[in-house]
């Protein structure tokens, strides 16, 4: 029985997870298990019969027998040296942290002490790591600049803080620990059990997130975002609360600045997310569309678009999201906005992507162009009136002229024998002036015609037109001796019909004003000046007085007397209109008796 | 009997000048003057139309009540009047007016010259061409 008992006991010790060492009251080892061999590096035989101190670091050895004796005097199961760090000594002299439980084993003959020795190396390593990470966390918390972390106990009293408190609220450690967190709240927020309710909510497991005014130690306020969440121990019991406070003053300033920009914008600015949900609008948007801000936020942007465009809009939105860059919306299309009252108005929209932490938003600047549209419409109707006027000038003003001229002619033809020389001269005057007025009317009409109609810009060789123009003039006045200089070609891009009028007028002008010059010279050419193509017509004729330059291009203004150089004063005005219609510029250089040079450009779109 | 000419003209001075131009050119044809487009339509298409079809119609564009374009449109819509020579006599040289006139079936377009000598030459040329040299289609009859 005794033997089987002992065998049973041994097998129990062998299977124990800890190293088991059994000693006599004298400290002599009488049993070790397999774990002991593994842990200490000795074989069983090397340990049996030796004093237990062989397994203890030398610095503890001398004190150990006294502990042993004390235990034998009061043998009961307990941990050894509670609160102390204990170490074991391996055969190779290395040490390792251990935990030891002692229990007395009373045999028939003597008292034995069984020690269960557990290697703490792994646990210590974990504990060390924990300690390090705690230190790091602490460091982190201390150094968080714009956040303040306060730990409250269950009652809401400040238990711990980080340096943020000092910075943000101006408290020193001893001033704040132990105070109720109500001191951070302005009076109106402390009313009733508002604060207790916050803690209760957090205690139930849902963090309280809020923005509001908080107080500094000196009583001043700052706008803060605050999160209060519960802190629980491992067994889930509530220890207290963590209160994370962020000073939003700077943030607010930036946001106010941004909002200031937004509100100051002359256009309605609408910011929407990728799904078209409106995230922000400015005051102009409210004014323009007739909605209150609150009504718009969260709505889709399609609410502001007339019904007939709504279905297609999400597709356009998706297309923009695929290639978001600042540009105007639907260029060339007529866009309309829809007011709250269902009325529509013409708009112009610029889009730009807005990169934010929540993803790419799209900012739309919407401009009401009703005023511009109505001006355009007024302009169109004015133009129509002008056309009607031109038409009526053609018909109605010419008719009486024709009658005057016609009857004067008839008088001349049929009653000449009853008129003396002076009477005949007066009749000639009537006809001459009627013809002049007819020319003026024609000039006015041709000027009006130049301003009307669509521009069909195409490649045109101006040198060729100039040669044709000179040829026509030479045919009409074969007695003139004019040398004409022009390059083989002078390519330009402009309306072909207007190009002919332009060149005919300029060449005709040069031809006319060089009419009193013997062996006159007319030059047509082009050159590049500051990146732009400049065309010019130069003559060595009568020139002009540069003091009256501003009258040169004005309709019906003439710088020469009619008998010298007849004309209606419409040619250069026509030329200027043609140049302006092509986005170009025209100017003249010259002096009386030294000829004139007319130069022009055709605008960026017309330059080769 | 000479074929007669229809002149649709609302301006009395122009009418007088045109008549004088024809007379001084020695055109012997009878000239019937109508004062607006409606009169012209009544003359040609009315319930009791004049018995004789003109050899030539001189038509102004800008006319009271019914304008020259409308006259052209309505006259050319009648099969028996499609061969009637119509010459537009207008003060306008607007490209649209000229184009529209031809499009609606005018045979010629003359801008009334301010100078009476020019006008006389034009009248002479057109009467000589349309009444003498030009071979006319057989006069259609109103169905």
């Amino acid at each position: 029985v005794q033997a089987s008992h002992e065998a049973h006991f041994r097998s129990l010790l062998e299977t124990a997870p800890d190293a088991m060492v059994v000693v006599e009251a004298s400290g002599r080892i009488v049993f070790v298990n397999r774990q002991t061999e593994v842990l200490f590096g000795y074989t069983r035989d090397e340990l049996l019969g030796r004093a237990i101190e062989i397994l203890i670091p030398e610095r503890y050895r001398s004190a150990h027998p006294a502990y042993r004796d004390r235990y034998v005097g009061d043998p009961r199961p307990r941990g050894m040296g509670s609160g102390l760090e204990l170490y074991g000594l391996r055969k190779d002299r290395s040490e390792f942290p251990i935990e030891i439980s002692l229990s007395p084993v009373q045999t028939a003959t003597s008292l034995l002490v069984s020690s269960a020795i557990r290697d703490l190396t792994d646990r210590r390593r974990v504990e060390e790591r924990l300690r390090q990470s705690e230190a790091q966390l602490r460091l982190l918390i201390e150094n968080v600049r714009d956040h303040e972390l306060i730990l409250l106990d269950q009652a809401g009293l400040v238990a711990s803080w980080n340096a943020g408190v000092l910075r943000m609220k101006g408290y020193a450690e001893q001033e704040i620990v132990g105070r109720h967190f109500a001191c951070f709240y302005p009076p109106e927020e402390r009313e009733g059990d508002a604060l207790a309710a916050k803690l209760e909510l957090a205690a139930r497991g849902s963090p309280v997130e809020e923005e509001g005014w908080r107080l500094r130690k000196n009583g001043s306020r700052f706008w803060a975002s605050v999160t209060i969440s519960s802190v629980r121990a491992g067994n889930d019991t509530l220890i207290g609360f963590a209160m994370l406070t962020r000073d939003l003053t700077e943030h607010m300033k930036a946001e106010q600045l941004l909002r200031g920009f937004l509100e100051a914008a002359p256009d309605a600015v609408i910011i929407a997310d990728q799904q078209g949900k409106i995230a922000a609008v400015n005051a102009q948007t409210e004014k323009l569309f007739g909605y209150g801000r609150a009504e718009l936020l969260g709505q889709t942007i399609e609410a502001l678009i007339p019904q007939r465009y709504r279905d297609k809009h999400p597709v356009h939105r998706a297309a923009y999201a695929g290639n978001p860059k600042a540009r105007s919306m639907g260029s060339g299309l007529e866009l309309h906005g829809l007011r709250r009252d269902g009325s529509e108005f013409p708009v112009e929209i610029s889009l730009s992507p807005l990169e934010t932490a929540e993803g790419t938003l799209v900012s739309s600047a919407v401009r009401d162009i009703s005023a511009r549209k109505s001006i355009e419409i007024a302009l169109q109707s004015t133009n129509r009136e002008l056309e009607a006027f031109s038409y009526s000038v053609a018909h109605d003003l010419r008719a009486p002229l024709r009658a005057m001229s016609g009857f004067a002619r008839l008088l001349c033809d049929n009653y000449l024998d009853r008129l003396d020389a002076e009477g005949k001269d007066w009749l000639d005057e009537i006809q001459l002036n009627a013809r002049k007025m007819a020319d003026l009317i024609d000039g006015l009409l041709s000027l009006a015609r130049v301003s009307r109609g669509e521009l069909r810009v195409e490649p045109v060789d101006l040198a060729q037109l100039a040669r044709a123009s000179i040829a026509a003039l030479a045919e009409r006045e074969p007695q003139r001796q004019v040398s004409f200089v022009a390059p083989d070609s002078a390519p330009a891009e402009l309306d072909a019909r207007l190009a002919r009028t332009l060149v005919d007028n300029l060449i005709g002008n040069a031809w006319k004003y060089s009419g009193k010059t013997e062996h006159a010279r007319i030059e047509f050419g082009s050159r590049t000046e500051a990146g732009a193509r400049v065309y010019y017509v130069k003559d060595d004729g009568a020139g002009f007085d540069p003091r009256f330059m501003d009258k040169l291009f004005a309709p019906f203004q003439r710088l020469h007397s009619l008998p010298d150089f007849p004309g209606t004063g419409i040619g250069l005005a026509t030329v200027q209109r043609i140049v302006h219609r092509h986005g170009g510029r025209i100017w003249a250089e010259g002096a009386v008796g030294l000829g004139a040079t007319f130069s022009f450009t055709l605008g960026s779109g017309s330059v080769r | 009997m000479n074929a007669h000419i229809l002149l649709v003209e609302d301006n009395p001075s122009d009418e007088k000048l045109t008549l004088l131009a024809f007379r001084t050119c020695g055109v012997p044809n009878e000239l019937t003057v109508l004062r607006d487009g409606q009169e012209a339509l009544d003359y040609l298409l009315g319930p009791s139309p004049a018995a004789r079809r003109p050899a030539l119609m001189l038509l102004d564009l800008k006319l009271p009540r019914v304008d020259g374009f409308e006259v052209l449109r309505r006259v050319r819509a009648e099969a028996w009047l499609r061969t009637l020579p119509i010459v537009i006599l207008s003060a306008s040289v607007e490209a649209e007016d000229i184009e529209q006139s031809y499009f609606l079936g005018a045979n010629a377009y003359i801008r009334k010259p301010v100078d009476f000598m020019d006008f006389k030459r034009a009248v002479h040329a057109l009467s000589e061409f349309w009444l003498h040299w030009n071979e006319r289609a057989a006069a259609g009859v109103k169905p």
Side-chain angles (χ1 to χ4, degrees):
Chain A
V1 170
Q2 178 71 38
S4 83
H5 231 87
E6 197 171 306
H8 182 70
F9 179 65
R10 273 174 191 279
S11 80
L12 205 67
L13 291 181
E14 284 299 345
T15 55
D18 301 330
M20 302 297 293
V21 178
V22 181
V23 297
E24 293 173 339
S26 65
R28 203 174 65 98
I29 298 170
V30 294
F31 173 83
V32 297
N33 67 353
R34 169 89 195 114
Q35 276 301 313
T36 310
E37 291 179 300
V38 171
L39 207 53
F40 288 90
Y42 290 100
T43 64
R44 204 171 294 219
D45 292 340
E46 286 173 316
L47 291 174
L48 292 176
R50 304 290 301 269
I52 185 71
E53 280 75 21
I54 189 176
L55 299 178
I56 296 172
E58 271 172 49
R59 61 185 182 283
Y60 304 124
R61 269 185 207 166
S62 55
H64 194 254
Y67 293 128
R68 257 199 290 114
D69 290 347
R70 205 178 303 159
Y71 185 80
V72 173
D74 176 23
R76 55 186 171 81
R78 62 168 175 85
M80 184 197 282
S82 74
L84 296 178
E85 297 211 333
L86 305 176
Y87 294 89
L89 182 70
R90 292 198 191 88
K91 186 184 176 184
D92 65 8
R93 316 302 295 167
S94 63
E95 293 182 17
F96 59 102
I98 53 173
E99 189 177 67
I100 304 175
S101 309
L102 300 171
S103 43
V105 182
Q106 189 66 54
T107 68
T109 53
S110 62
L111 176 77
L112 299 178
V113 179
S114 161
S115 318
I117 303 164
R118 180 168 296 174
D119 182 358
L120 292 186
T121 307
D122 287 346
R123 196 205 289 177
R124 280 287 145 78
R125 202 177 291 140
V126 171
E127 279 172 357
E128 181 55 28
R129 270 213 296 268
L130 194 64
R131 217 178 358 259
Q132 275 178 6
S133 65
E134 264 175 359
Q136 279 169 356
L137 186 66
R138 184 87 202 155
L139 204 65
L140 201 68
I141 290 170
E142 292 297 336
N143 285 290
V144 170
R145 296 227 142 249
D146 54 352
H147 285 77
E148 157 198 279
L149 181 65
I150 295 177
L151 292 177
L152 306 174
D153 66 11
Q154 286 160 284
L157 303 182
V158 176
S160 173
W161 76 105
N162 75 340
V165 187
L166 295 177
R167 263 195 302 274
M168 202 178 287
K169 293 187 179 139
Y171 287 105
E173 174 186 357
Q174 66 275 13
E175 291 173 320
I176 195 62
V177 170
R179 287 185 65 178
H180 192 266
F181 80 115
C183 67
F184 303 135
Y185 286 79
E188 68 271 16
E189 300 236 2
R190 284 182 226 156
E191 277 166 18
D193 52 3
L195 298 185
K198 287 184 209 295
L199 292 189
E200 221 168 277
L201 194 64
R204 280 205 299 272
S206 49
V208 176
E209 289 176 26
E210 54 185 13
E211 269 189 26
W213 293 109
R214 293 295 178 270
L215 293 183
R216 295 193 186 88
K217 181 188 167 192
N218 64 12
S220 62
R221 292 176 176 217
F222 65 100
W223 189 260
S225 123
V226 179
T227 307
I228 301 174
S229 41
S230 60
V231 178
R232 289 170 188 281
N235 59 5
D236 211 34
T237 53
L238 185 71
I239 306 172
F241 303 92
M243 190 168 78
L244 189 67
T245 306
R246 187 173 171 214
D247 186 345
L248 293 180
T249 310
E250 289 303 316
H251 187 74
M252 285 253 293
K253 270 189 210 158
E255 203 175 274
Q256 267 164 2
L257 197 67
L258 205 67
R259 188 147 281 282
F261 276 132
L262 201 65
E263 294 300 340
D267 300 331
V269 178
I270 303 163
I271 296 171
D273 66 14
Q274 300 271 17
Q275 283 69 48
K277 284 238 178 323
I278 297 172
V281 299
N282 64 355
Q284 279 297 320
T285 308
E286 296 179 287
K287 223 163 91 185
L288 201 56
F289 288 90
Y291 284 99
R293 203 170 293 227
E295 291 177 292
L296 286 175
L297 297 180
Q299 284 250 39
T300 56
I301 196 118
E302 277 78 21
L304 303 177
I305 297 173
Q307 191 72 49
R308 62 185 181 285
Y309 306 127
R310 249 178 233 176
D311 290 350
K312 283 195 180 146
H313 193 255
V315 179
H316 295 313
R317 258 202 290 115
Y320 186 79
N323 181 21
K325 56 185 169 61
R327 63 169 173 85
S328 60
M329 185 195 285
S331 66
L333 296 180
E334 301 227 325
L335 304 175
H336 293 90
L338 181 69
R339 290 198 194 88
R340 190 175 195 269
D341 62 14
S343 60
E344 292 181 15
F345 57 103
V347 294
E348 206 170 64
I349 303 177
S350 323
L351 300 172
S352 50
L354 211 61
E355 300 299 338
T356 72
E358 287 85 43
T360 305
L361 303 180
V362 177
S363 163
S364 317
V366 182
R367 180 167 297 178
D368 181 356
I369 55 169
S370 306
R372 204 178 73 194
K373 278 281 164 197
S374 67
I375 288 170
E376 274 175 24
I377 289 165
L379 193 66
Q380 274 166 10
S381 90
T382 305
N383 278 342
R384 270 197 301 276
E385 276 169 33
L386 198 68
E387 269 177 53
F389 172 74
S390 304
Y391 195 86
S392 108
V393 162
H395 279 84
D396 301 350
L397 292 190
R398 284 178 66 93
L401 217 49
R402 205 163 43 244
M404 280 191 272
S405 168
F407 288 110
R409 167 66 65 178
L410 282 162
L411 210 53
C412 225
D413 286 356
N414 301 314
Y415 297 90
L416 197 59
D417 52 341
R418 301 191 205 173
L419 289 171
D420 58 10
E422 196 169 35
K424 188 183 171 299
D425 179 50
W426 292 349
L427 279 177
D428 283 346
E429 281 293 331
I430 292 172
Q431 288 177 77
L432 178 72
N433 281 287
R435 204 161 33 241
K436 244 184 258 171
M437 187 163 169
D439 287 347
L440 282 172
I441 291 168
D442 284 350
L444 193 65
L445 284 176
S446 94
L447 187 62
R449 221 172 283 133
V450 157
S451 308
R452 273 181 11 226
E454 212 176 310
L455 279 188
R456 276 196 292 265
V457 174
E458 55 185 302
V460 173
D461 183 359
L462 293 182
Q464 199 185 320
L465 289 182
R467 269 192 296 274
S469 192
I470 285 284
L473 290 165
E475 197 180 342
R476 213 182 303 159
E477 296 179 62
Q479 75 285 0
R480 286 279 306 272
Q481 301 235 320
V482 176
S483 64
F484 177 64
V485 181
D488 284 345
S489 77
E493 298 220 338
L494 70 164
D495 184 284
R497 180 178 63 95
L498 295 182
R500 181 170 291 278
T501 310
L502 170 68
V503 171
D504 281 352
N505 269 299
L506 284 177
I507 295 288
N509 218 48
W511 182 274
K512 180 163 73 182
Y513 289 103
S514 61
K516 294 186 179 356
T517 309
E518 247 183 287
H519 305 295
R521 184 180 185 278
I522 296 174
E523 182 185 342
F524 173 82
S526 73
R527 62 178 186 273
T528 302
E529 209 175 87
R533 201 83 200 135
V534 176
Y535 305 90
Y536 63 89
V537 175
K538 187 177 159 95
D539 69 64
D540 54 359
F544 60 91
D545 188 336
R547 281 180 301 166
F548 304 119
M549 181 87 88
D550 55 331
K551 288 192 170 167
L552 215 48
F553 297 104
F556 303 114
Q557 296 283 348
R558 307 196 70 253
L559 299 188
H560 295 273
S561 65
L562 274 176
D564 286 349
F565 298 102
T568 55
I570 214 76
L572 287 177
T574 305
V575 163
Q576 189 188 44
R577 275 205 200 174
I578 292 172
V579 167
H580 285 178
R581 277 203 75 186
H582 287 85
R585 205 163 62 81
I586 183 161
W587 65 99
E589 292 143 296
V592 173
L594 294 173
T597 303
F598 288 88
S599 308
F600 65 93
T601 63
L602 288 169
S604 56
S606 311
V607 176
R608 268 245 160 126
Chain B
M1 174 147 248
N2 274 319
H4 81 290
I5 299 169
L6 214 55
L7 172 67
V8 190
E9 172 66 71
D10 67 310
N11 184 325
S13 295
D14 270 352
E15 175 199 327
K16 217 183 280 179
L17 280 174
T18 309
L19 291 175
L20 280 163
F22 271 95
R23 201 178 75 196
T24 52
C25 283
V27 177
N29 303 58
E30 185 192 338
L31 233 143
T32 305
V33 180
L34 302 168
R35 293 290 157 74
D36 63 43
Q38 189 56 52
E39 277 188 24
L41 291 175
D42 287 345
Y43 182 91
L44 291 169
L45 311 171
S48 51
R52 288 173 305 145
R53 185 183 120 135
L56 174 68
M57 174 153 83
L58 302 175
L59 180 64
D60 194 3
L61 287 179
K62 205 177 166 224
L63 294 166
R65 302 208 282 173
V66 174
D67 71 8
F69 293 127
E70 186 58 23
V71 172
L72 272 173
R73 205 174 283 123
R74 302 265 293 273
V75 166
R76 289 309 191 209
E78 299 289 327
W80 67 285
L81 286 174
R82 264 182 219 155
T83 54
L84 170 66
I86 301 177
V87 173
I88 302 296
L89 265 185
S90 167
S92 165
V93 274
E94 297 300 311
E96 300 93 82
D97 289 346
I98 296 169
E99 219 161 290
Q100 180 77 344
S101 298
Y102 282 118
F103 181 78
L104 293 174
N107 297 91
Y109 191 111
I110 290 168
R111 188 192 193 192
K112 296 174 186 169
V114 166
D115 192 303
F116 186 72
M117 288 302 283
D118 290 342
F119 189 41
K120 237 167 76 176
R121 270 198 287 276
V123 163
H124 180 75
L126 83 88
S127 56
E128 197 168 48
F129 177 78
W130 287 108
L131 301 175
H132 179 69
W133 293 109
N134 186 48
E135 293 294 343
R136 273 171 280 150
V141 175
K142 192 184 180 191

